[in-house]
Structures are given as C-alpha cells and as structure tokens.
Amino acid sequence: DPRLPPAGTVIERAHAGVAHPVTVGDDDFEYQGERYASLSQVARAITGTPWNGFLFFRLSKRGVRA
C-alpha cells in the first residue's frame, strides 16, 4: 500500500497519554513483541475499539482513498 512507509520504519501514535511505537514489516506489523496482519488490528489492540488503522496512525485522511 503506498500509504505505508518502508519496512523497518517505526510509526508511533500517542493514545491515552502513552506512546505506542509500531514497526512496519514486509507483510505485517510488530507491536509490543506481537505480530499483526493489519494496522487496524494494532489500533484495536491499543484502544480496545474498532479503528481504521491508516486513520488511527494518521497515514490517511478521512474520505481520501489511495
């Protein structure tokens, strides 16, 4: 997906006053030692609610499609 930075890049989002770094992989994402297939799964693990991962990590704006 062109919205994603290159593999190995660490993206970070603060939620509830805590920074949450996520490492972009070739085919997945690593967060707190666990692998996730999508950013949406990572966002849900962080917040406990469903999120569009690109919106949560501010890699896309609402209403804009790549």
Side-chain angles (χ1 to χ4, degrees):
D1 189 305
R3 296 172 289 182
L4 287 174
T9 301
V10 176
I11 57 176
E12 187 172 276
R13 169 74 193 268
H15 178 72
V18 177
H20 297 276
V22 176
T23 303
V24 177
D26 288 323
D27 298 312
D28 60 4
F29 304 90
E30 183 178 350
Y31 171 65
Q32 293 188 335
E34 298 288 328
R35 297 275 183 187
Y36 294 86
S38 72
L39 282 175
S40 295
Q41 290 176 344
V42 177
R44 186 178 191 120
I46 292 169
T47 66
T49 60
W51 267 91
N52 175 297
F54 290 104
L55 290 176
F56 181 79
F57 286 98
R58 298 184 177 124
L59 297 174
S60 182
K61 294 182 180 177
R62 189 173 295 279
V64 177
R65 293 188 180 227

